[in-house]
Amino acid sequence: MGLHFGKWLIDNEIIKGYAAPYFELAAVCDQNEVLAHTCAREYHVKAYTRLEDALADRDIDLVTLITGPNHRAKLLDKIVDAGKAVMTTKPFETDAAEALRILKKAEAAGVPLFINSPQPVAPDDIACIQEWQEKYALGRLVGYHASNWASYREDPDGTWYDDPEQCPAAPLLRLGIYCMSDLSWFIPEDIEELTVVQSRVFTRRPTSDNAHAMVTHTDGTLGSIYSSFCVGDGEAYQNRLELQFEGGSVTRKINSMLLLEDDFIELELSTQYHGKHLTEKRTLPKYGSGYRWDWMHHVLNGGALPEKHTRPEQIAKSIRLIEKVKEAAREQRE
């Protein structure tokens, strides 16, 4: 459901990508009747223009919801009530309380509800950092810097991307959510202050294409998140992470080759261990753009997620960062 970005997902993940071994496209749904029927003819599937009609289709086991994040929980209510599994995208919602409500509702109903960021299970790079935290007793986090970027030159298209209220500090909301999701595994819950600076460099949209957030947590942890659509260095959708702990530091770099299946991740630890300086490096594969079709298939066939799977409270934590970004951007406009 939702063919603005959804068509890209169909072409690159469902028809021939990571979902192909596990799922078959059954139908497409979009409020734009022409778009829905055009795509349906292309893929030789059924077309719907109303979510309610798609949910009544007994052939459908999984709804992939690729609509804007504002009030997404209202759509998810309908899908969960229909008992259909859901795969959706980042940012999950823009309201942390609503996000937590619908995630708890789905959990209580036994309806699988997955997001691409944060993933339902910690990806290998996050699990590696957690392993180092424990093995080398890195202690508390004191600082972090996360950054990601791409090279866009966009025109207005009437979508929510053009609305400063729905899409404040646009790069942070559209790209930076990946950073926020990664950080949600490590950062403290409470935010004392968050400030945003943003600019319009190349975009012709009324929203920004270059943005930076500075964060102060109540326990003294300091952080920053930079996201941009202005950087054309050949590493599309780079996602870098630096974590400074009291007992060491960790850096994470994603080597992006433009084709998602070729991406790989490099991690490096620097710490003191038994009185000596120690470094450790790992290279890991990256799983596409984060949609865990394999885990969804596993759960729908009666399997269970591991004990340390992503909890609703963690997802809500990343959305609270979004709420703070929205507040800061609104104050800036006023």
Side-chain angles (χ1 to χ4, degrees):
M1 179 182 178
L3 294 170
H4 180 66
F5 174 69
K7 189 176 188 311
W8 182 95
L9 200 69
I10 292 170
D11 291 336
N12 291 277
E13 295 233 352
I14 297 173
I15 298 294
K16 60 181 181 181
Y18 289 90
Y22 306 105
F23 293 98
E24 179 182 3
L25 187 67
V28 293
C29 181
D30 197 282
Q31 290 180 328
N32 184 322
E33 186 173 350
V34 173
L35 180 59
H37 286 281
T38 300
C39 288
R41 287 193 296 271
E42 179 179 349
Y43 301 121
H44 306 288
V45 296
K46 289 175 277 192
Y48 293 106
T49 56
R50 287 174 11 103
L51 175 61
E52 292 79 5
D53 295 334
L55 294 178
D57 189 334
R58 294 185 177 181
D59 291 335
I60 293 173
D61 301 308
L62 169 66
V63 176
T64 304
L65 183 65
I66 310 295
T67 58
N70 294 286
H71 309 300
R72 184 181 285 151
K74 302 298 184 188
L75 292 175
L76 290 169
D77 270 321
K78 296 179 180 181
I79 301 170
V80 171
D81 287 342
K84 306 285 190 183
V86 190
M87 180 75 81
T88 190
T89 191
K90 56 77 189 168
F92 177 66
E93 245 284 355
T94 56
D95 184 313
E98 272 291 272
L100 191 59
R101 178 191 65 78
I102 189 61
L103 287 162
K104 290 285 191 180
K105 176 178 177 177
E107 188 176 57
V111 174
L113 172 50
F114 287 8
I115 316 165
N116 71 324
S117 180
Q119 297 177 22
V121 175
D124 291 344
D125 56 323
I126 298 297
C128 174
I129 299 171
Q130 292 173 326
E131 176 193 325
W132 285 342
Q133 277 184 284
E134 184 175 348
K135 180 179 179 180
Y136 297 110
L138 298 182
R140 57 158 289 180
L141 188 71
V142 296
Y144 59 87
H145 177 68
S147 55
N148 56 1
W149 56 80
S151 181
Y152 291 178
R153 304 293 184 266
E154 295 182 318
D155 291 307
D157 58 5
T159 64
W160 67 280
Y161 293 164
D162 291 342
D163 186 344
E165 180 61 33
Q166 294 189 67
C167 196
L172 287 169
L173 190 69
R174 293 169 56 189
L175 273 184
I177 185 59
Y178 288 115
C179 296
M180 297 177 202
S181 296
D182 289 343
L183 289 168
S184 70
W185 295 95
F186 306 105
I187 63 174
E189 179 73 30
D190 295 327
I191 298 171
E192 183 175 286
E193 185 179 9
L194 187 149
T195 58
V196 167
V197 291
Q198 58 182 316
S199 59
R200 295 171 65 248
V201 182
F202 300 116
T203 185
R204 287 169 291 277
R205 294 187 190 274
T207 50
S208 63
D209 58 357
N210 205 31
H212 199 159
M214 302 294 294
V215 190
T216 304
H217 295 268
T218 52
D219 70 347
T221 302
L222 298 177
S224 69
I225 305 167
Y226 171 70
S227 297
S228 179
F229 296 130
C230 302
V231 182
D233 63 351
E235 294 195 273
Y237 308 111
Q238 178 54 247
N239 189 345
R240 294 190 182 180
L241 186 63
E242 298 176 10
L243 300 172
Q244 285 80 36
F245 299 94
E246 62 177 318
S249 63
V250 175
T251 60
R252 195 264 327 260
K253 180 180 185 293
I254 296 177
N255 289 272
S256 179
M257 301 299 176
L258 298 180
L259 298 173
L260 294 174
E261 61 268 24
D262 292 334
D263 289 357
F264 65 96
I265 302 169
E266 293 179 307
L267 297 117
E268 183 170 359
L269 165 74
S270 178
T271 187
Q272 291 281 338
Y273 192 61
H274 295 316
K276 295 182 179 179
H277 179 231
L278 178 144
T279 61
E280 187 172 333
K281 296 181 180 181
R282 287 198 199 170
T283 300
L284 301 167
K286 178 176 178 287
Y287 189 93
S289 50
Y291 299 90
R292 295 308 300 254
W293 310 101
D294 53 346
W295 277 111
M296 178 63 82
H297 185 264
H298 175 74
V299 170
L300 286 178
N301 281 276
L305 292 175
E307 185 177 349
K308 289 186 177 180
H309 62 277
T310 306
R311 305 298 305 159
E313 292 79 7
Q314 181 187 332
I315 296 168
K317 184 198 290 190
S318 68
I319 294 170
R320 287 190 190 97
L321 277 170
I322 292 177
E323 289 180 329
K324 291 291 187 180
V325 167
K326 289 184 71 173
E327 289 173 14
R330 186 179 297 114
E331 290 173 4
Q332 194 179 63
R333 288 198 305 273
E334 291 173 353

